[in-house]
Amino acid sequence: MNISEPKKPRGRPSAFNYDEALQKALMVFWSRGYEGASMAELTEAMGINRPSIYAAYGNKEELFCKALEKYMVGPTAYVAAAMREPTARQVVEAFLTKSAEFLADENTPRGCMIAIGSLFSGADADQVKQALIAYRRGYETALKERFDLAKSQNDLHKSVNTADLAKYVATVHQGMSVQATGDATKEELLAVVHQALKNWPT
C-alpha cells in the first residue's frame, strides 16, 4: 500500500515576520543602494517570494521607503541624541564623532544610506530620490534650528549664518560617508572631525 505525502495547501504563503524581513531588506538596500539591489537579491534575503513582498510592502520603491523609515529610527537614532547636547559645538562634536564611529562600523554596510543613496538614484526612481533628498534636508533643518536656538541663548555669535553653518556640517558628514565607502578607517574619519571643529566659529 502506497502512502503519498500530503500536498501543501495552495493560496496564502506561510506567515513571516514583517519587521525581520524588512530589516533584511534594509541591509540589502544599505549595502547595494536602491538601483543596485535586485528583486532576486531582496526575495532571497527576505525569505519570501515577490508576490508576498508586493502584498506586504508594495513595489520596490515603496519597500525601499519603508526600509528607509526603519533606518531613521534605528541605526541613525544617535542624531537626535546629539541635538540635545548643551551647546552648539557639543552638538556638532557628538554628531560627527558618532557618525565617524557609525560610518566605519565593520558590522554594518559602510557609509550612510541617505547620503550615498541621494547621489546615485536615477531618474527612473524619482520617489526614492525625493525621499532621500527630503531626509538629507531634514538633517540640515534640524541643525539650523538647533543653531538658531544657540544664537538666542548667546551660545553662537549673532553674526553666524546658521543656514550656512548647518550646510557646512552636513557637507562634512556627507564627505565622511563617501570616504567611509572607500574604506576610510574610524581614526581617519575622526581626524576629519577634529579638523572641522578647528574651524568652529568663535
Side-chain angles (χ1 to χ4, degrees):
M1 178 176 173
N2 293 327
I3 301 176
S4 60
E5 293 183 1
K7 295 181 179 180
K8 294 182 180 180
R10 295 180 179 179
R12 297 182 61 186
S14 58
F16 65 92
N17 186 299
Y18 180 96
D19 195 60
E20 286 182 3
L22 184 59
Q23 176 64 29
K24 292 173 181 176
L26 164 60
M27 297 303 289
V28 174
F29 283 128
W30 190 355
S31 61
R32 302 282 289 164
Y34 173 77
E35 294 182 343
S38 68
M39 286 304 298
E41 287 178 299
L42 289 165
T43 55
E44 182 178 355
M46 297 171 75
I48 55 179
N49 59 32
R50 190 174 299 196
S52 296
I53 290 178
Y54 292 150
Y57 306 97
N59 61 26
K60 184 183 174 184
E61 287 190 9
E62 292 169 320
L63 174 61
F64 179 88
C65 289
K66 288 180 172 66
L68 189 58
E69 291 174 3
K70 187 173 181 63
Y71 177 82
M72 290 296 295
V73 299
T76 62
Y78 70 88
V79 177
M83 296 296 175
R84 295 191 291 269
E85 290 291 331
T87 69
R89 191 182 189 284
Q90 287 174 298
V91 166
V92 173
E93 183 175 11
F95 171 54
L96 294 181
T97 299
K98 290 293 184 182
S99 291
E101 297 169 355
F102 168 72
L103 295 170
D105 190 344
E106 295 181 356
N107 297 314
T108 58
R110 287 298 192 98
C112 172
M113 183 177 174
I114 295 170
I116 298 300
S118 61
L119 294 175
F120 301 110
S121 293
D124 59 338
D126 189 62
Q127 179 183 350
V128 167
K129 184 175 182 179
Q130 294 306 317
L132 289 166
I133 290 173
Y135 277 117
R136 180 175 54 78
R137 287 177 177 168
Y139 280 119
E140 288 186 32
T141 299
L143 285 166
K144 180 185 181 305
E145 290 175 351
R146 181 61 183 83
F147 297 156
D148 286 338
L149 175 63
K151 282 184 71 172
S152 71
Q153 297 173 335
N154 295 319
D155 176 40
L156 279 176
H157 194 272
K158 62 181 180 180
S159 64
V160 173
N161 184 312
T162 56
D164 289 349
L165 183 58
K167 178 73 72 175
Y168 168 73
V169 173
T171 300
V172 171
H173 174 266
Q174 188 166 339
M176 289 168 59
S177 181
V178 173
Q179 289 286 326
T181 61
D183 291 331
T185 66
K186 182 180 74 173
E187 289 71 26
E188 289 171 333
L189 296 181
L190 287 173
V192 173
V193 176
H194 179 70
Q195 188 63 43
L197 290 172
K198 282 186 176 180
N199 298 324
W200 187 254
T202 57

